[in-house]
Amino acid sequence: MTSSSKIQILRTVQQVRQWRHQSLINNQSVGFVPTMGALHQGHCSLVAQSLKENDKTIVSIFVNPSQFAPHEDLNNYPRTLDRDLEILSNQFKNKSIDAIFVPKISEMYPNGIVLEVDKQRGTFVTVHGSSEQLEGVTRPQFFRGVATIVTKLLNIVQPTRVYFGQKDAQQCVVIKNLVKDLIIPTEVRVMPTLRESNGLAMSSRNEYLSKEIKDKSSIIYKALCNGENYYNDKIINHNQNSVDSKKIIKEIYDLIKQEPDFDIEYIAVSHPETLEDLDQVTPGLGAIVSCAVKVPKENSNEKARLIDNIILQ
Ligand code: PAF
């Protein structure tokens, strides 16, 4: 039997519940990696971690409409199901994943779903306090959509552990708050960002970029590292007790600004748990330093929005 033939493709909530029930009976832990497909090595590292830490691993592939605004890229979001199934079937040599959940929209939104928030009907989940800033400024419905679909998926899969990538730092904070506030019995595991060899954070949206823009976009991570080096230098070599966030932001801004076609949407220094703006960064508490930058898309006048972050200790 090849590893691929052991993987069950589950299409309905009922099928996942049955699958989960079996692992409960067998007293097996379940790791869950929710995705929107267009899988890359970043997703694979989450799957690999789940395989290491759990008896069973399930991955979901679902492009969730409610986290897209009407003007965003829902219709053009990369959908590569055959390739995704191929990757999940063949990448993991030592231990195979057990199931892939690929629901239809009607399975996840039985009452249907439209993108205009004021026309939506039914139950949605909003995590107040960590959803409005940073990404929430330009994408006000994004985290409501993410929190809603993640709640549904956690209710269906009931995993022992659920895996997310640090690249989506705010999403990780929102989901940790969601799990804590709604008392959902799962452990949220956040794994480090995977990067291309030039430093660019791996993302499904990198598929919109030409090789040239991908290379140029590596400046985003270099700039974040400049900010980190500045902070470390002040703390370690100049014995400062804290560092002014504005100066860290300036280090980052000055480098990204060297790419004339890039538009900086924000650079922020935030509290690692509440995401409030920090005026000063203090060792021990540290900070999340994050940014969103719009870069030219391949063969288009539009821009793709890239996000990235680093953690200061
Ligand atoms: O990070 C993602 O890919 C999505 O936001 C998630 C968590 C799968 C919810 O649709």
Side-chain angles (χ1 to χ4, degrees):
M1 197 188 246
T2 64
S3 65
S4 57
S5 60
K6 283 188 287 183
I7 303 178
Q8 297 184 51
I9 312 277
L10 309 173
R11 307 256 175 203
T12 65
V13 172
Q14 174 75 355
Q15 287 170 338
V16 181
R17 287 206 196 283
Q18 271 167 7
W19 177 86
R20 181 62 178 108
H21 186 66
Q22 201 52 49
S23 53
L24 261 186
I25 292 173
N26 297 339
N27 205 15
Q28 289 164 318
S29 59
V30 167
F32 174 39
V33 184
T35 80
M36 297 209 300
L39 301 181
H40 50 69
Q41 288 309 311
H43 296 110
C44 291
S45 77
L46 302 181
V47 172
Q49 191 68 22
S50 173
L51 289 170
K52 232 189 259 171
E53 295 181 345
N54 301 280
D55 298 315
K56 298 270 172 191
T57 289
I58 179 167
V59 176
S60 65
I61 298 178
F62 180 67
V63 180
N64 171 38
S66 72
Q67 67 193 69
F68 291 80
H71 66 275
E72 288 180 342
D73 57 349
L74 174 62
N75 290 337
N76 298 328
Y77 193 84
R79 287 168 173 83
T80 55
L81 185 60
D82 288 345
R83 199 185 76 187
D84 293 344
L85 297 180
E86 180 81 18
I87 290 173
L88 292 173
S89 305
N90 296 326
Q91 277 257 325
F92 306 97
K93 298 289 173 215
N94 299 332
K95 189 179 171 199
S96 162
I97 69 165
D98 299 277
I100 307 172
F101 181 37
V102 194
K104 288 203 174 113
I105 292 182
S106 56
E107 199 67 19
M108 301 309 290
Y109 294 95
N111 302 323
I113 180 76
V114 292
L115 303 194
E116 295 83 1
V117 168
D118 54 356
K119 294 194 186 134
Q120 289 172 349
R121 296 289 171 268
T123 306
F124 292 84
V125 180
T126 303
V127 182
H128 294 286
S130 45
S131 300
E132 300 84 1
Q133 57 279 68
L134 308 174
E135 290 299 287
V137 173
T138 45
R139 308 188 71 194
Q141 69 194 74
F142 177 68
F143 290 113
R144 176 176 175 274
V146 169
T148 301
I149 197 68
V150 170
T151 304
K152 287 172 188 256
L153 289 167
L154 292 177
N155 277 337
I156 298 166
V157 178
Q158 305 197 2
T160 319
R161 299 180 186 86
V162 61
Y163 294 81
F164 295 95
Q166 176 60 41
K167 179 183 156 278
D168 300 307
Q170 189 173 7
Q171 172 168 280
C172 294
V173 171
V174 167
I175 288 166
K176 279 186 176 169
N177 287 335
L178 159 78
V179 163
K180 188 172 83 191
D181 293 344
L182 296 184
I183 316 173
I184 299 177
T186 191
E187 183 188 345
V188 179
R189 302 275 291 128
V190 176
M191 308 317 296
T193 304
L194 249 75
R195 299 184 179 281
E196 308 285 352
S197 55
N198 65 11
L200 176 65
M202 289 189 186
S203 161
S204 304
R205 287 194 168 93
N206 292 354
E207 298 204 8
Y208 297 143
L209 310 180
S210 65
K211 162 96 179 60
E212 187 199 349
I213 294 295
K214 272 190 199 161
D215 283 341
K216 285 187 175 176
S217 300
S218 65
I219 204 166
I220 298 170
Y221 181 58
K222 288 194 190 93
L224 289 170
C225 290
N226 273 6
E228 182 178 31
N229 292 340
Y230 178 86
Y231 169 76
N232 287 339
D233 180 57
K234 294 295 168 205
I235 298 295
I236 296 164
N237 301 327
H238 295 84
N239 289 324
Q240 283 186 205
N241 296 327
S242 66
V243 179
D244 186 345
S245 298
K246 282 200 203 81
K247 295 197 170 145
I248 298 172
I249 291 172
K250 185 171 178 337
E251 291 293 314
I252 300 166
Y253 181 89
D254 286 349
L255 189 57
I256 301 178
K257 258 311 187 210
Q258 290 182 13
E259 278 303 334
D261 295 335
F262 286 15
D263 303 330
I264 300 173
E265 218 170 68
Y266 66 80
I267 302 169
V269 175
S270 316
H271 187 291
E273 279 150 30
T274 65
L275 296 181
E276 276 166 37
D277 275 343
L278 290 176
D279 293 336
Q280 296 282 325
V281 186
T282 318
L285 176 63
I288 299 176
V289 182
S290 60
C291 64
V293 181
K294 286 182 152 179
V295 309
K297 274 189 187 175
E298 189 167 29
N299 302 326
S300 159
N301 295 329
E302 291 175 10
K303 293 205 163 167
R305 207 167 158 280
L306 303 183
I307 59 171
D308 200 354
N309 67 85
I310 48 163
I311 310 285
L312 301 181
Q313 303 295 335

